[in-house]
Amino acid sequence: MARSERKERLIEQMLSEKLGGKSPPDLSSRILQSLDQPAGRVLAARPLHAGARPASWRSVAASVALVGAVGIAAAVFLLNMPRNGTTPVADSNRSTKPALPDQSDPKPVPQKPEPEMRAPEQQPEPDAPIPEMPKPVPEPQPKPEPEPEPAPAPQPGPEKPREDVENPPEPKPERPPTEAPVEPSKAVVVAQMLQMTDGAKLAFKRNEADRWEEWTAETQVESGMFLRARKPVALSAGGNARVYFNGELRFTGDESALSIELFTEAVYVEAYAPERTFTVSRGDASFNFREAEVVAEKSGLKLNVTCLGGEVSSGGVALAAGWSASLSEKGFAKPKEEGDKLRAHTLVIAVDTIFRLVRDELDDERGDGRIYLGVAENGIVTGTGKQCFGVTLTEPYSVRDNAYVRVRMRVRGSQGVSIGVKGDEAADWQYFQHHTNHILNDKWITLKVPLHDLKVEGKADKAKPLATGQAFTAFQVVLWDEKATIEIDWIEFGIDPKWGE
């Protein structure tokens, strides 16, 4: 019989004895006889001496060893077996890990086998061979399941441009909220200085609580500014608008609107600029206009208002040119017609004399026949055709530096208009004129032309302009179409003052 077969038979016998409860055969007498007799002789079994242990300890030891081997093999099998019927999971590092145990049905954890028990030592008989203990056969291990293929490595993204990698943008340091810069609001300029009366003192302050400062050539009239003048001062308020005043007032507004609050004395506004709305007030009394010429004077808590041209209104009630009225928070009182006293106010007289203005209102009530082209009615002269308007001045006017002529007019049906002046007898009645193309039709406009831009008519002196010191006695307007018409409100000759000259 082969050795391996004997081992298997021995193991089956030991398992049947240990697990099946089968009693092993008593071979002790046969073993002892074989030890005591020479080969080939079979001796009868000798009785054991009193107190001696039975000779079956070797079978017990073998059974214990076999049980221990079976326990070790079972523990190894259980440890390698997948739990809960799940397969190992591959992580990102391509390693296989067992799934976590199911907490709902915990399985007993195999305990570490106890060390092999040995029977009490007993000296064998002399020359008695010790039978070789069979080695436990390891249980076949389950084949490991094939590892899942590793996930494909992520493809690298497109490389950044070289300049972006080498020169990354530097992050801008953020300011704490408490250090955020506050940009100062820009001042809104609402008027410019033109000229002050000789000996006038002008002061300003930007806020009511500030101290008064002396006016300088670099100062501009800003929105919210207070001004104080002891003699009349002339300001340019944009376009053809001018503001003359003495006393104290305040300006507020922007390019589309200008408000003037009067505290003392008077203000004279000449505004023929339809792009801007004007308001003059004192306390709760106020009036407004777009195209008008008006003077307002302080009178207690009220204003005395005189309309010199155009029309002003307060609370939906209008005050027409040539009329004056007292104004309170309740509106205009009963108006009064001024007639020849229209420009009799002291501030208007100062403007007409100190600022060297010559204003011709073309009033037909004088009846002196100065208008020789056109028809005058209610202070408006109407003319038709090319030779539409002509007037003889009340006195000759001598040309000065920075002199100008202004005409308030309304044209219909003409692309352009020409204005001219006639020299006196000493100048051989020369005629100087200026041509304006693309004139605005059907709206009241104020045309302003420097007198030095008027040039003499004639072949010999065609390029000769009107010079300083030359005098003229008449003014004319010519349209460019025979069917065109014109309306003229007034004519003004004056000096265009420049601050600092």
Side-chain angles (χ1 to χ4, degrees), residues 12 17 81 115 490:
E12 290 178 359
E17 292 175 1
M81 179 179 179
W490 46 258

Side-chain angles (χ1 to χ4, degrees), residues 10-276:
L10 178 61
I11 291 173
E12 290 178 359
Q13 182 67 30
M14 297 174 87
L15 289 175
S16 62
E17 292 175 1
K18 185 65 178 176
L19 301 178
K22 186 176 180 181
S23 300
D26 188 3
L27 303 178
S28 57
S29 57
R30 294 176 60 182
I31 295 173
L32 292 176
Q33 289 178 5
S34 62
L35 293 176
D36 293 337
Q37 296 297 329
R41 294 180 63 184
V42 178
L43 297 180
R46 290 183 300 175
L48 296 174
H49 55 83
R53 294 177 63 124
S56 61
W57 62 269
R58 290 184 177 85
S59 63
V60 174
S63 301
V64 172
L66 179 61
V67 172
V70 171
I72 293 173
V76 172
F77 177 79
L78 292 176
L79 289 176
N80 292 332
M81 179 179 179
R83 301 184 182 182
N84 296 332
T86 57
T87 57
V89 180
D91 64 0
S92 59
N93 294 326
R94 300 179 61 183
S95 63
T96 304
K97 297 183 179 179
L100 294 177
D102 188 0
Q103 299 297 331
S104 61
D105 187 15
K107 294 183 179 180
V109 179
Q111 301 294 329
K112 183 177 180 181
E114 296 180 359
E116 181 180 358
M117 297 181 62
R118 297 178 179 271
E121 295 184 0
Q122 183 177 357
Q123 297 295 332
E125 294 291 336
D127 300 331
I130 299 175
E132 183 179 358
M133 296 295 294
K135 296 182 179 180
V137 179
E139 295 290 335
Q141 299 294 328
K143 295 182 180 181
E145 296 184 5
E147 296 183 359
E149 295 183 1
Q155 297 296 328
E159 296 184 356
K160 294 184 178 180
R162 185 178 183 84
E163 59 270 13
D164 292 347
V165 177
E166 295 181 355
N167 301 316
E170 297 182 0
K172 297 182 180 179
E174 297 183 358
R175 290 177 175 267
T178 55
E179 298 182 4
V182 178
E183 296 184 0
S185 57
K186 295 182 179 180
V188 178
V189 177
V190 295
Q192 300 283 349
M193 173 60 67
L194 282 178
Q195 188 175 357
M196 292 194 298
T197 306
D198 292 340
K201 292 184 179 180
L202 179 63
F204 74 96
K205 59 181 181 179
R206 291 183 170 83
N207 297 288
E208 188 173 4
D210 295 346
R211 292 185 178 182
W212 290 99
E213 301 179 43
E214 185 177 353
W215 189 271
T216 64
E218 293 77 19
T219 311
Q220 300 183 90
V221 183
E222 301 171 356
S223 179
M225 182 178 285
F226 294 79
L227 297 179
R228 184 177 64 187
R230 293 188 179 178
K231 287 187 177 182
V233 173
L235 303 176
S236 172
N240 291 314
R242 290 185 179 183
V243 177
Y244 309 92
F245 74 97
N246 55 4
E248 183 180 339
L249 48 72
R250 184 187 185 188
F251 289 91
T252 55
D254 52 28
E255 295 180 355
S256 61
L258 180 64
S259 296
I260 304 171
E261 186 177 2
L262 182 65
F263 300 109
T264 63
E265 303 299 333
V267 60
Y268 169 30
V269 183
E270 182 186 305
Y272 296 105
E275 70 277 1
R276 205 171 200 179

Side-chain angles (χ1 to χ4, degrees), residues 214-436:
E214 185 177 353
W215 189 271
T216 64
E218 293 77 19
T219 311
Q220 300 183 90
V221 183
E222 301 171 356
S223 179
M225 182 178 285
F226 294 79
L227 297 179
R228 184 177 64 187
R230 293 188 179 178
K231 287 187 177 182
V233 173
L235 303 176
S236 172
N240 291 314
R242 290 185 179 183
V243 177
Y244 309 92
F245 74 97
N246 55 4
E248 183 180 339
L249 48 72
R250 184 187 185 188
F251 289 91
T252 55
D254 52 28
E255 295 180 355
S256 61
L258 180 64
S259 296
I260 304 171
E261 186 177 2
L262 182 65
F263 300 109
T264 63
E265 303 299 333
V267 60
Y268 169 30
V269 183
E270 182 186 305
Y272 296 105
E275 70 277 1
R276 205 171 200 179
T277 300
F278 289 82
T279 301
V280 179
S281 65
R282 173 167 172 75
D284 294 331
S286 66
F287 64 93
N288 55 74
F289 55 95
R290 290 183 67 85
E291 294 187 67
E293 187 176 348
V294 61
V295 59
E297 182 181 24
K298 171 205 168 186
S299 178
L301 298 177
K302 301 179 181 181
L303 286 174
N304 286 331
V305 181
T306 302
C307 184
L308 306 178
E311 183 180 271
V312 300
S313 63
S314 177
V317 179
L319 183 66
W323 296 79
S324 65
S326 176
L327 177 66
S328 66
E329 70 277 5
K330 298 179 181 179
F332 286 118
K334 185 178 180 179
K336 180 179 68 173
E337 189 175 8
E338 291 295 330
D340 292 340
K341 298 180 180 179
L342 187 63
R343 302 187 69 84
H345 192 278
T346 54
L347 181 56
V348 178
I349 293 174
V351 170
D352 288 346
T353 57
I354 297 174
F355 296 105
R356 293 173 296 221
L357 298 178
V358 176
R359 173 71 67 85
D360 196 334
E361 294 290 336
L362 306 176
D363 192 347
D364 62 328
E365 293 181 359
R366 298 181 182 180
D368 51 12
R370 296 185 302 112
I371 300 172
Y372 56 88
L373 290 173
V375 178
E377 184 177 358
N378 297 325
I380 302 295
V381 178
T382 303
T384 304
K386 291 186 176 181
Q387 300 293 327
C388 61
F389 174 77
V391 61
T392 301
L393 305 180
T394 55
E395 60 183 17
Y397 185 83
S398 181
V399 179
R400 297 178 176 87
D401 291 336
N402 298 329
Y404 65 86
V405 57
R406 289 201 306 164
V407 184
R408 186 169 187 253
M409 63 175 66
R410 179 163 59 184
V411 177
R412 290 185 175 92
S414 181
Q415 178 181 343
V417 64
S418 300
I419 62 172
V421 295
K422 283 185 177 182
D424 58 9
E425 186 177 359
D428 297 329
W429 310 104
Q430 286 181 313
Y431 183 71
F432 299 83
Q433 65 179 351
H434 177 272
H435 309 288
T436 302

